[in-house]
Amino acid sequence: MHPAFSVIFLTTLIGAAQGLFLALFVTQWFATVGLIAPQDSVQFYAMGNVVVLVLLGLGLFASFFHLGRPERAWRSATRWRTSWLSREVIVLPALMGFSFIHGAMHLLGWDAVLWTTAGGVSFTLSLLVGALGALTALALFISTGMIYACIKFLQEWASPLTVVNFTVLGIASGFTLATAFAAAVSPELVHPFGISAIAFTALGLVTRVAALIRNKRLKHKSSLQTAIGVRHTHIQQKAQGAMGGSFNTREFFHGKSDAVVKTVLWTFLLLTFPVPMLLVWIGMTAEAFGVLALAFAVQYLGLVCERWFFFAQANHPQNLYYQTI
């Protein structure tokens, strides 16, 4: 498939934002039950949600470059009963809404106590909003991943590993960003965030490599025989039937050589996983904001390469006819 950078930036930016929001919610939950010290409402939660909203906004802005008629984008939300894309269009602004309310409540101090346990643990309204936002973030991971996993004839995508990787890699990048954010505003959280970022990145390496191995062993259901409806066992393609390109040759094929694709593969395997883990460990040990920020920047660059490879690897059956010459 042709990798569209608008979709690449959409999925990677909102993935990091979802992971960061989950880090904020988990922190508030742990502070509520007394496992860690409470964090500053303005510097940590309000500013954290500003970063979340900026990333979600940039992702949403990037997505408009993938639309032929952006003014009709609202119509994509009308098919929510059958379309995962439609569900993503609904859940994304919902997460932006929960993040805005969560941040505003902490900024303005509007946080009523809803329930206090016998042990003295108080559950607040902002915690409830955070929980709803966290569920929405997980729903967005599933919706985004299922857009591709539900396409049966693209066998490289039609796997539960697609949803798993969208989720795990998004959370990993979010916690890497949270580690750098904590180094700036809440140093006592650098170690727990850093260890979580390394753990999720390592888990992402396992699940992504599992997807690569699965795709390498795929036996495609389509063949030259099925492409043209001829059952003869000896078919040789001589020409694609057209002198120039077409929508099919542009939209369903990346147009790059095998050497370029292989280079992108090894680049994302290096930049998404081992290098950020090493930088997070160094930055966490030295509590150096610059190193941790570099870790997120390197991992994000790796994720852009990873998502490019994800799209390029999917082999549309039409390429049997149009792209093998």
Side-chain angles (χ1 to χ4, degrees):
M1 296 290 286
H2 172 69
F5 277 97
S6 55
V7 181
I8 291 173
F9 287 127
L10 165 68
T11 56
T12 51
L13 286 170
I14 66 173
Q18 292 163 256
L20 178 57
F21 187 85
L22 290 173
L24 296 177
F25 169 69
V26 170
T27 301
Q28 188 177 5
W29 173 263
F30 282 178
T32 299
V33 298
L35 294 177
I36 60 174
Q39 303 302 310
D40 185 89
S41 291
V42 177
Q43 282 195 345
F44 187 77
Y45 294 109
M47 290 303 298
N49 276 292
V50 169
V51 178
V52 170
L53 285 170
V54 168
L55 292 175
L56 291 174
L58 289 174
L60 188 62
F61 177 73
S63 70
F64 279 88
F65 290 92
H66 194 60
L67 302 175
R69 301 292 297 271
E71 71 276 12
R72 298 178 181 176
W74 63 271
R75 294 186 176 181
S76 60
T78 60
R79 301 288 183 180
W80 59 272
R81 290 184 180 83
T82 56
S83 168
W84 285 104
L85 175 62
S86 185
R87 291 162 189 157
E88 182 193 46
V89 170
I90 295 171
V91 176
L92 175 55
L95 176 59
M96 295 180 76
F98 283 122
S99 177
F100 176 79
I101 296 171
H102 191 248
M105 293 180 71
H106 282 284
L107 178 66
L108 302 173
W110 296 343
D111 199 7
V113 176
L114 299 177
W115 177 50
T116 302
T117 66
V121 178
S122 298
F123 294 92
T124 62
L125 182 59
S126 68
L127 184 65
L128 175 62
V129 173
L132 294 174
L135 291 174
T136 307
L138 294 175
L140 182 55
F141 276 130
I142 295 173
S143 299
T144 305
M146 282 303 297
I147 291 173
Y148 309 101
C150 71
I151 304 176
K152 300 299 183 186
F153 59 87
L154 292 180
Q155 292 176 254
E156 290 83 356
W157 293 352
S159 163
L161 285 171
T162 298
V163 180
V164 170
N165 282 318
F166 268 80
T167 304
V168 175
L169 296 181
I171 293 176
S173 62
F175 271 82
T176 301
L177 177 58
T179 309
F181 178 68
V185 301
S186 188
E188 66 272 19
L189 292 178
V190 168
H191 277 73
F193 278 163
I195 292 172
S196 301
I198 292 173
F200 281 118
T201 302
L203 178 61
L205 176 61
V206 172
T207 58
R208 193 64 181 94
V209 169
L212 292 174
I213 294 173
R214 170 193 175 273
N215 290 344
K216 191 174 180 61
R217 294 177 177 175
L218 274 179
K219 292 183 179 179
H220 286 95
K221 298 175 182 176
S222 300
S223 63
L224 277 176
Q225 285 80 4
T226 61
I228 58 177
V230 174
R231 295 181 180 274
H232 198 283
T233 54
H234 299 288
I235 299 175
Q236 187 176 9
Q237 190 175 14
K238 296 292 187 182
Q240 68 174 4
M243 295 293 291
S246 65
F247 175 82
N248 285 17
T249 57
R250 291 190 301 272
E251 190 66 19
F252 299 120
F253 186 64
H254 50 76
K256 304 298 181 184
S257 66
D258 290 342
V260 171
V261 175
K262 188 173 291 186
T263 300
V264 174
L265 166 65
W266 287 107
T267 301
F268 94 70
L269 284 175
L270 186 66
L271 296 185
T272 306
F273 304 108
V275 175
M277 284 194 287
L278 178 62
L279 290 173
V280 168
W281 181 261
I282 295 172
M284 182 177 63
T285 305
E287 295 189 358
F289 169 77
V291 178
L292 294 171
L294 179 63
F296 174 71
V298 169
Q299 189 170 49
Y300 183 76
L301 180 60
L303 284 173
V304 170
C305 296
E306 185 274 338
R307 212 48 49 90
W308 188 95
F309 184 86
F310 169 79
F311 288 109
Q313 191 184 33
N315 190 24
H316 196 287
Q318 69 97 41
N319 293 339
L320 290 169
Y321 184 80
Y322 284 103
Q323 295 297 333
T324 54
I325 297 298

